[in-house]
Amino acid sequence: MSKAYIIGTGPGDEELLTLKAIKALGECTAVLYDRLVSNNVLNYLSEDCEVYYCGKEPGAHYKTQDEINEMIVKLANEGHLVGRVKGGDPYVFGRGGEEVLALEKEGIDFEVIPGVTSPIAVLNYAGIPITHRGIAQSFHIVTGMTAVEEKINFEALANETGTLVFMMGLSNLEKIVENLTKYGKNINTPAAIVMRGTSSKQKKVVGTLDNIVDKVKEAGLQSPCIIVVGDVVNLSNKLSWYEKKPLFGWNICVTRSREQASSLKDKLTKLGAEVTSISSIKIEKTLENLDEYVEKLDKYHHIIFTSVNGVNIFFDYLIEKNYDIRRLKAKFSVVGKATKKALAQRGIQAYKMAREFVGEGLFEAIKEDLKPGEKVLIPCSSKSRTFLKDEIEALALEVDRVHTYNTVPGKVKNKRSFDEVDIVLFTSPSTVNNMVDMVGIEEVKKKKCIAIGPITFKALKERGIDGLMCKQHSEDGFLREIVEIVNKEV
């Protein structure tokens, strides 16, 4: 049975997505989205979901509303579970009602998923409460697009004591101010404009009806913007929180696979950055390569992991094979804190760890413990360097380097998302090469690029990309590096 979801995805901040929206996105087999949808929303879709851009920009509509309605119906009738993905809430100036009526007319099952609406959320992120005891006991949300069409009762609005919010009305700001003051609104009434609220590009201009037009022109604000008029604007400095975070205003691209990106993404978000997740690498497991080694795992003296993926894939394989890990007698050594943590989560403490995110560091840490004739297992990516194998074999040990997974290029579901990025973190040579293939060398060169270690930094240089290298080759080192960069730029 055909069905469509009309999904509100909130004003921009990915974390304002509802659990219901995330679940629905994962079920969809075809999705239509527009320009107001957050960078990362499409990452919640399944790999084989069909994606269609039907965005509308001021003066340049890619599709009319009738065409969008027809496309939703067509895809549903073809058997797709369709998702119409919309910024904010579908029914708050989102034309969701028109899309639902088109579905209802054709007898197509539908479900509408509310989204956090921008008049509430954007003002919150700008430090402006839409109501406040003793200041504003009501609010009125109006579309600013019709401000010049005399469809708005400005006489009634001008006499309201509550907060006035005008959506999508930046181009009509002068007319809105003119009409409010014409019908008696005090010219000294506080007013604010918030551009692209809840995103890294959020920008706020505060003034009064007397000067707000000039201030907006001077600041160069562009749509989408929200206009707010009322005494609650005076609280914007005291109640501001988002704009005070150390990484506010920066969009940082994490190029790891989705599974590995979550920890770093959470840390960056807490610091106020907007994080664009682009999985430049996709993990393809090759577990069958372990089959010939599984019965002799208890013969190894050392097992070495160079990545979190290596740890998780290896132990998942043992679980699948019902292998009792108490049979293992090896000492486990790892590259990097993240890999050490992944091993600890499997109930095993690392014997030795390279603090630097390179194989050379681990070899220096364990070479005194390696005895001629011992057996070493290195479960790793097929594209990883052979440095550890070569150096350990030179000490007369027997080394089995088993490829348990491949890293293959991912894909960008929303190519427009990379345009928003200020800084790109590269965590391996694969992420460098794959991102270049995915978005183009010139687009990568436009960004501030940071490599997490010397091998990745070398890959940047080989592609002719200027960049920085973390002083400490770890997530925490990268976070400190980012804050240092921001402090220099401000």
Side-chain angles (χ1 to χ4, degrees):
M1 182 178 178
S2 57
K3 182 175 181 178
Y5 287 116
I6 310 299
I7 306 171
T9 62
D13 184 343
E14 175 194 357
E15 292 190 334
L16 294 180
L17 272 174
T18 65
L19 293 174
K20 194 173 186 69
I22 291 172
K23 182 178 179 181
L25 288 167
E27 296 175 3
C28 292
T29 61
V31 157
L32 295 81
Y33 76 101
D34 57 43
R35 74 183 183 102
L36 296 181
V37 170
S38 167
N39 288 347
N40 293 321
V41 165
L42 300 187
N43 290 339
Y44 292 94
L45 303 176
S46 63
E47 286 293 324
D48 56 353
C49 181
E50 296 178 14
V51 179
Y52 301 92
Y53 179 67
C54 56
K56 293 185 282 185
E57 298 183 21
H61 287 203
Y62 287 83
K63 288 186 180 296
T64 66
Q65 186 61 51
D66 285 342
E67 289 172 333
I68 293 171
N69 296 349
E70 290 170 6
M71 193 170 183
I72 297 170
V73 169
K74 177 177 179 292
L75 288 168
N77 282 333
E78 289 174 355
H80 283 287
L81 202 168
V82 183
R84 172 63 174 114
V85 181
K86 308 171 77 68
D89 181 89
Y91 286 168
V92 181
F93 304 125
R95 307 190 76 165
E98 297 173 44
E99 293 162 351
V100 169
L101 288 174
L103 292 166
E104 190 274 338
K105 182 179 179 181
E106 297 295 323
I108 297 170
D109 190 25
F110 64 86
E111 187 171 333
V112 182
I113 298 176
V116 176
T117 186
S118 56
I120 307 298
V122 166
L123 296 190
N124 180 313
Y125 276 52
I128 302 171
I130 200 165
T131 65
H132 189 85
R133 188 161 64 93
I135 297 177
Q137 282 72 48
S138 65
F139 60 87
H140 308 269
I141 301 173
V142 184
T143 173
M145 296 293 289
T146 58
V148 296
E149 299 176 7
E150 298 182 353
K151 294 182 180 179
I152 298 175
N153 188 343
F154 275 101
E155 184 175 4
L157 287 177
N159 287 286
E160 287 289 349
T161 59
T163 305
L164 305 180
V165 180
F166 295 87
M167 306 290 295
M168 304 167 288
L170 184 65
S171 61
N172 292 327
L173 178 60
E174 289 188 51
K175 193 67 177 178
I176 291 170
V177 170
E178 178 186 323
N179 282 326
L180 287 175
T181 54
K182 172 184 174 181
Y183 288 106
K185 202 72 170 174
N186 192 313
I187 203 164
N188 293 316
T189 301
I193 314 294
V194 186
M195 181 183 83
R196 299 192 59 184
T198 81
S199 78
S200 62
K201 303 301 183 284
Q202 177 172 308
K203 195 170 183 179
K204 177 176 67 180
V205 172
V206 176
T208 64
L209 290 179
D210 185 38
N211 59 25
I212 194 66
V213 172
D214 291 336
K215 285 192 170 189
V216 166
K217 288 179 179 177
E218 183 180 344
L221 299 192
Q222 297 178 332
S223 294
C225 288
I226 288 179
I227 303 166
V228 55
V229 178
D231 290 336
V232 288
V233 171
N234 288 331
L235 296 169
S236 63
N237 285 332
K238 289 183 178 180
L239 300 187
S240 178
W241 58 273
Y242 181 51
E243 296 164 352
K244 293 179 179 178
K245 292 196 171 190
L247 293 182
F248 166 73
W250 290 84
N251 187 310
I252 300 171
C253 179
V254 178
T255 58
R256 287 173 167 172
S257 63
R258 186 189 301 183
E259 295 78 12
Q260 284 189 296
S262 59
S263 172
L264 181 57
K265 181 180 176 182
D266 288 345
K267 292 175 182 177
L268 288 167
T269 302
K270 286 178 181 177
L271 289 171
E274 180 178 6
V275 180
T276 295
S277 297
I278 298 180
S279 297
S280 63
I281 58 174
K282 182 181 175 182
I283 305 302
E284 289 186 348
K285 299 178 182 180
T286 52
L287 295 175
E288 63 277 6
N289 292 339
L290 278 169
D291 289 345
E292 64 178 285
Y293 299 92
V294 67
E295 291 306 321
K296 58 179 182 178
L297 290 178
D298 56 350
K299 301 296 190 294
Y300 289 101
H301 299 86
H302 301 272
I303 297 178
I304 294 174
F305 293 109
T306 58
S307 70
V308 173
N309 285 322
V311 172
N312 291 333
I313 291 170
F314 178 78
F315 283 98
D316 286 348
Y317 172 84
L318 297 187
I319 292 171
E320 183 181 318
K321 294 295 183 179
N322 293 316
Y323 188 92
D324 187 348
I325 64 170
R326 290 174 296 183
R327 292 170 58 187
L328 300 176
K329 303 298 187 292
K331 295 175 180 176
F332 290 81
S333 298
V334 299
V335 173
K337 292 181 179 178
T339 311
K340 179 183 179 182
K341 181 178 178 181
L343 186 64
Q345 288 173 339
R346 300 292 182 159
I348 298 174
Q349 295 300 316
Y351 175 67
K352 289 290 176 70
M353 180 192 77
R355 293 189 177 277
E356 294 188 344
F357 199 72
V358 286
E360 285 83 346
L362 181 58
F363 180 69
E364 289 300 317
I366 67 171
K367 66 181 181 180
E368 298 300 325
D369 298 287
L370 302 174
K371 310 301 180 187
E374 289 185 333
K375 296 180 182 295
V376 180
L377 178 68
I378 308 177
C380 60
S381 162
S382 61
K383 295 182 179 179
S384 62
R385 295 190 305 148
T386 62
F387 172 83
L388 282 169
K389 181 179 189 296
D390 297 340
E391 293 297 314
I392 294 172
E393 283 183 334
L395 297 177
L397 285 81
E398 181 182 333
V399 181
D400 289 324
R401 185 173 184 268
V402 184
H403 299 153
T404 56
Y405 65 99
N406 297 318
T407 57
V408 298
K411 62 180 180 179
V412 183
K413 292 182 178 177
N414 181 1
K415 291 186 178 180
R416 299 164 64 88
S417 65
F418 196 71
D419 297 339
E420 304 287 314
V421 170
D422 304 303
I423 298 171
V424 185
L425 168 66
F426 294 101
T427 55
S428 68
S430 294
T431 62
V432 174
N433 296 321
N434 291 351
M435 282 298 292
V436 168
D437 292 340
M438 290 161 68
V439 302
I441 185 70
E442 294 305 320
E443 291 302 312
V444 174
K445 285 182 175 180
K446 293 176 184 178
K447 314 301 180 182
K448 294 181 184 294
C449 297
I450 301 179
I452 204 168
I455 308 302
T456 306
F457 184 69
K458 181 182 177 183
L460 281 176
K461 289 297 183 185
E462 288 173 348
R463 300 304 293 259
I465 302 169
D466 291 330
L468 301 171
M469 183 179 74
C470 288
K471 298 180 181 68
Q472 295 184 32
H473 312 147
S474 64
E475 282 190 3
D476 291 338
F478 169 66
L479 291 170
R480 284 190 287 270
E481 201 89 14
I482 288 292
V483 174
E484 288 176 13
I485 289 173
V486 170
N487 287 338
K488 290 177 182 177
E489 293 284 336
V490 174

